[in-house]
Amino acid sequence: MPDDPKSVNDILDRLADSSQGEEVSVGELTESLGHRSYGPFLIVPALIDISPIGAVPGLPTALAAIIILVSAQIAFGREHLWLPGFVTRRMVASDRVRRSVEKVRPVANWTDRWFHGRLKGLASGPFIRGAGVACALLALSVPPLEIIPLATTAPMAAIAMFGLALLVRDGLLMIAAYVLAIASVAIGVWLWTTQ
């Protein structure tokens, strides 16, 4: 792709455009997102953990492992997301991707209206790498917190906010994610000391 998408709707357009024919590979979908491919891979696992599904024993730790794989690549400054071959070769029905894109469109419209690249300098360069380090550290806190009910919600919410900040390149949202990350560490320490 010649340039990166500028909004969530641009990202959805690229996903829809990549979904031609009967099937599309996960690798092709990831490549269509350009440098913005990191955001969704942070947001989705974090939201799964926050949902009721996240109460399944062991699932938060598995999701944290995915986040560590992604966030380590951010921290080391990789231009594009690397995923194992068995993941990138996995095929998805194109019509399923297009239907999913249309279901997410109202959320994308809302996101584009509210988060639109404010303080862009704080969502680039060292701040992106810092977000990768923060997400990795937050994900590392998940396995010990998993034994306390709902304790993984705070770090996963911060990770989801970092993912959204990276996706829309919004510096104000990046600041909010850092604040939430600090708060989640404080909450985690408090939960451990009260056990």
Side-chain angles (χ1 to χ4, degrees):
M1 292 288 160
D3 57 355
D4 284 333
K6 305 291 187 246
S7 67
V8 179
N9 271 302
D10 285 350
I11 289 165
L12 294 180
D13 290 343
R14 288 200 178 185
L15 289 173
D17 291 345
S18 297
S19 303
Q20 303 303 321
E22 289 190 26
E23 290 185 320
V24 61
S25 72
V26 171
E28 291 170 319
L29 293 173
T30 303
E31 189 63 31
S32 74
L33 299 178
H35 294 93
R36 306 280 174 117
S37 61
Y38 289 111
F41 283 93
L42 292 175
I43 295 168
V44 172
L47 292 180
I48 290 170
D49 179 81
I50 294 169
S51 76
I53 298 169
V56 174
L59 183 61
T61 298
L63 294 169
I66 294 168
I67 291 168
I68 290 168
L69 172 69
V70 173
S71 57
Q73 292 179 61
I74 297 168
F76 286 111
R78 280 190 58 92
E79 289 289 321
H80 294 279
L81 178 65
W82 173 86
L83 294 171
F86 71 90
V87 174
T88 59
R89 289 189 298 270
R90 184 163 177 90
M91 301 302 284
V92 182
S94 293
D95 63 334
R96 187 174 183 186
V97 173
R98 289 191 297 268
R99 282 196 313 268
S100 297
V101 162
E102 290 314 310
K103 285 182 182 177
V104 176
R105 204 57 89 168
V107 175
N109 292 334
W110 181 86
T111 303
D112 287 346
R113 188 169 46 251
W114 288 100
F115 308 114
H116 44 74
R118 300 164 294 186
L119 304 172
K120 286 186 181 183
L122 297 176
S124 61
F127 293 100
I128 291 176
R129 286 184 175 206
V133 171
C135 288
L137 293 173
L138 289 166
L140 285 171
S141 75
V142 168
L145 289 174
E146 188 177 351
I147 61 171
I148 304 169
L150 302 175
T152 61
T153 300
M156 287 298 197
I159 290 167
M161 191 173 287
F162 275 118
L164 183 58
L166 291 171
L167 189 67
V168 297
R169 295 291 194 257
D170 191 305
L172 195 57
L173 194 56
M174 187 73 81
I175 292 169
Y178 278 112
V179 170
L180 185 56
I182 292 167
S184 72
V185 169
I187 290 168
V189 169
W190 178 76
L191 286 170
W192 265 105
T193 58
T194 58
Q195 283 294 322

